[in-house]
Amino acid sequence: MSPDSSLLTVGVPKETSAQERRVAVVPADVRSLKKAGFEVLVEPNAGFGAGFPDAHYVQQGARIAADRAELAAAEIIVHVRAAAADPQQPFAVGERLRENQILIALCDPLSDPRPIAALAERRVTTFALELLPRITRAQSMDVLSSMATVAGYKAVLLAAEESPRMFPMMMTAAGTLTPAKVFVVGAGVAGLQAIATARRLGAIVYAYDVRPAAREQIQSVGGKPVDFGLESAEGQGGYARAMDADFYQRQQAAMAKVVAESDVVITTAAVPGKRAPLLISNDMLSGMSPGSVVVDLAAERGGNCEATRPGETIDFHGITVLGPVNLPATVAHHASQMFSRNVTAFLGLLKKSLPQLDTQDEIVRDTLVTRDGQVVNAQIRERLATPVS
Ligand code: NAD
């Protein structure tokens, strides 16, 4: 508890996973949090991996705890990854929390709801940031968009690193080099950032999305939309909806030629709450030239590419297929900066709603997943009632 009893303490732990270099709050946001009525208590070295030493937090008015155990005094704990969002150790964060503590984190509650049930049992109040409604008022809190921006950028760098080609056109005394052809499948937040990044490197970028609205957005970042003559698969809230096997077969057939002609394919297609659609079959891969590269950003959600192995880079008859996981952690400084800004905005809203949580507010209601020993989100309760496959 903070010395001034009207202030709430926000605890900033070091992330529990060894590969996770991000931190949930960066020094630059400590002052805003204090202005909003929070004290900030930081576990030693919490920001070190992202390039934020303890001294910078202290300069901005945060306190460094003696150790992790001291964070038990904080009313609120903000993590980057907790529950199923940290698949290697989904129960680790919960085991360190105490009754009535508030947890704010990415929790991936729909892929595995069991860690959420464990948080409820411990009587922790949990907010899962994936469940933020995509409304204008919540844009400043939209962690998924921030992390997708980072992932889209980094995917292009991984592809450029693996590719035996340079991306820009070059006219040199040793002849003219043609620009790389990049095809981006799925033009949501990550896809649009991938298009913009590949364009900055000088590639020619084609892109496709099942939502007709994406066409204009692709053009606005310098990409060339490809039209396969398929029907729209736009669903609720501007997201794609799941289609039947026949649609995906027709999509694969239509895309095969563009895939074969591309030096790099970056796939980002996702349907909320579902396995990622399978869009690039092994047959389609076989049509690509040796040395081509596929980066499958949907690897963690089942993959858009049949050959993808999450967390691995494989050689498929001369085609390199990358299935990166947790890419934002590899750009930890800026990913933390964005996450922290989002979470600071969320805490600002939450402060107005405490101590009684105002579940009339759509943002509070949608993100709240456990409270008073119960899982309070209907979709998660439903998932808990069905066995995890
Ligand atoms: P996402 O991660 O759920 O999916 C990525 C993309 O894959 C989407 O554009 C989707 O249409 C596409 N896709 C799905 N199936 C496909 C298929 N078979 N073939 C090709 N593409 C396929 O999406 P996202 O990046 O989170 O964004 C989804 C939408 O939400 C976009 O319209 C985005 O602009 C919008 N958005 C709105 C806000 C807001 O606050 N208003 C914030 C972020 C995103």
Side-chain angles (χ1 to χ4, degrees):
M1 192 102 55
S2 92
D4 174 348
S5 62
S6 69
L7 297 179
L8 292 173
T9 299
V10 174
V12 184
K14 197 169 159 56
E15 290 296 303
T16 47
S17 150
Q19 297 82 42
E20 183 52 76
R21 292 167 53 207
R22 287 170 293 176
V23 61
V25 173
V26 304
D29 291 319
V30 170
R31 282 192 198 284
S32 310
L33 286 170
K34 291 189 76 140
K35 252 193 226 152
F38 296 104
E39 287 292 348
V40 181
L41 182 64
V42 183
E43 180 177 348
N45 284 324
F48 189 82
F52 301 106
D54 289 353
H56 290 191
Y57 285 96
V58 174
Q59 276 162 18
Q60 300 301 323
R63 214 155 49 79
I64 305 297
D67 53 23
R68 173 68 179 81
E70 200 186 325
L71 265 61
E75 286 85 2
I76 301 171
I77 296 287
V78 281
H79 254 287
V80 178
R81 289 198 295 164
D86 191 358
Q88 259 92 50
Q89 36 183 359
F91 296 92
V93 166
E95 282 161 6
R96 294 168 170 207
L97 300 178
R98 61 161 170 83
E99 187 173 337
N100 289 332
Q101 238 172 352
I102 296 176
L103 169 67
I104 300 170
L106 286 169
C107 296
D108 204 2
L110 295 174
S111 36
D112 182 0
R114 290 169 300 181
I116 299 296
L119 284 160
E121 266 168 46
R122 284 184 96 86
R123 303 189 72 82
V124 170
T125 300
T126 311
F127 290 92
L129 292 171
E130 292 89 345
L131 302 181
L132 267 172
R134 246 103 186 250
I135 54 175
T136 308
R137 192 164 58 88
Q139 255 173 6
S140 61
M141 310 170 197
D142 188 351
V143 171
L144 280 190
S145 287
S146 297
M147 297 305 108
T149 299
V150 177
Y153 160 83
K154 189 65 188 271
V156 176
L157 301 194
L158 293 181
E161 167 74 19
E162 285 295 336
S163 175
R165 296 166 167 272
M166 291 195 278
F167 273 29
M169 186 180 91
M170 285 193 199
M171 290 157 94
T172 79
T176 298
L177 309 180
T178 54
K181 282 193 204 131
V182 174
F183 179 38
V184 176
V185 186
V189 180
L192 290 173
Q193 191 53 235
I195 297 166
T197 305
R199 287 288 301 133
R200 284 184 206 116
L201 283 180
I204 298 179
V205 187
Y206 299 90
Y208 168 71
D209 197 294
V210 285
R211 294 177 297 107
R215 199 184 161 79
E216 225 172 86
Q217 293 160 2
I218 292 167
Q219 282 168 328
S220 74
V221 289
K224 296 176 194 289
V226 191
D227 188 354
F228 294 120
L230 296 164
E231 63 270 34
S232 157
E234 177 138 5
Q236 275 183 342
Y239 284 105
R241 66 193 153 93
M243 302 296 278
D244 60 12
D246 170 63
F247 177 90
Y248 290 123
Q249 260 165 22
R250 283 185 289 123
Q251 182 175 353
Q252 286 186 13
M255 286 197 327
K257 189 165 177 283
V258 182
V259 169
E261 288 167 356
S262 301
D263 303 307
V264 168
V265 175
I266 295 175
T267 61
T268 76
V271 178
K274 304 266 186 236
R275 187 207 179 281
L278 194 61
L279 305 178
I280 316 262
S281 65
N282 285 348
D283 266 1
M284 290 161 81
L285 275 188
S286 303
M288 296 180 85
S289 303
S292 304
V293 179
V294 177
V295 180
D296 188 349
L297 277 191
E300 276 162 297
R301 298 166 78 175
N304 291 143
C305 181
E306 190 178 353
T308 298
R309 300 280 167 269
E312 291 180 31
T313 297
I314 63 157
D315 180 339
F316 183 89
H317 307 297
I319 319 294
T320 307
V321 181
L322 290 86
V325 294
N326 200 17
L327 266 190
T330 68
V331 195
H333 191 84
H334 277 141
S336 301
Q337 187 181 313
M338 294 170 87
F339 190 99
S340 173
R341 185 59 62 85
N342 294 145
V343 102
T344 299
F346 184 78
L347 280 163
L349 173 86
L350 200 62
K351 183 80 195 331
K352 293 182 200 134
S353 165
L354 291 170
Q356 298 304 317
L357 291 175
D358 173 15
T359 47
Q360 297 299 312
D361 186 299
E362 190 181 359
I363 298 175
V364 174
R365 186 186 59 227
D366 287 7
T367 49
L368 183 65
V369 292
T370 69
R371 181 188 196 181
D372 298 334
Q374 301 292 324
V375 174
V376 293
N377 174 291
Q379 249 184 311
I380 300 171
R381 288 167 78 106
E382 232 170 78
R383 289 280 283 115
L384 280 165
T386 43
V388 176
S389 52

